[in-house]
Amino acid sequence: MKLKDKVCIVTGSASGIGRAIAAKYVAEGARVAIADLKLDASEATAAELTAKGPGEAFGIAMDVTNEAAVNEGVAAVVSRWGRVDVLVSNAGIQIVHPVEEFPFEDWKRMLSIHLDGAFLTTKACVPHMKTQGGGAIIYMGSVHSHEASPLKSAYVTAKHGLLGLARVVAKEGGPHGIRSNVICPGFVRTPLVDKQIPEQAKALGISEDEVVKKMMLGGTVDTEFTTIDDVAEVALLFAGFETNALTGQSLVVSHGWYMQ
């Protein structure tokens, strides 16, 4: 088991990609904090994953845009398990509008969840990682960390920003054994993507089928969605790669849509 007894925090992990990562970590023997907005959802996911073992999980409520909530959540993990070995900053949302119609409140909300959330969770975990002599910080980027698409000005801006944060954390954390990486998935068929399909169809004046085949999968080599398991495998790679050899790097998981 690659992560036996490692203590991991995965934000936005009551469902979707975050849940798949948490499940992969528990299956590899880790102790995982399921950090999500709703405590009941976090606890339900934690109970299901613990029942499968061999690792264990527990649920905490965490609003990643609230510094006090983040600090309290990380403190609860350290109180329970004594350390933090892996942080996966995964919490995120999607809102689409043409740039000239993008409500400023939605712009600020998008950047707050993706960027403030990554910064605040990193800020809270780094002191513990320094004390224990190392750790892994993994940010959930996107192909949109490297590319752009219409209607996604806030999302693309936020996902590009994660690359910069990861590189700074890699530079600062390297001497302390703290690694930092960004996972950049293509389109993953989650509720977040399902919500985008009719929104983009309406905004672009095309059919939902065209959104899927042309806008989402047209650039892939096999017209296949990236799966949550694809992303979880990369999250396991970064969590278990315990040298600085890969630190500061991003890895695109997109069925060839974007190639570095």
Side-chain angles (χ1 to χ4, degrees), residues 20 37 49 87 94 142 146 163 165 170 179 189 212 222 241:
L37 271 174
L49 297 185
L87 165 66
Q94 178 64 280
S142 167
H146 300 277
L163 294 178
L165 176 60
R179 295 101 57 203
R189 199 68 187 261
V212 172
D222 53 11
F241 199 98

Side-chain angles (χ1 to χ4, degrees), residues 7 9 33 58 60 72-84:
V7 175
I9 299 173
F58 87 110
I60 57 175
E72 289 169 9
V74 172
V77 174
V78 174
S79 175
R80 183 183 182 102
W81 286 322
R83 57 192 293 120
V84 180

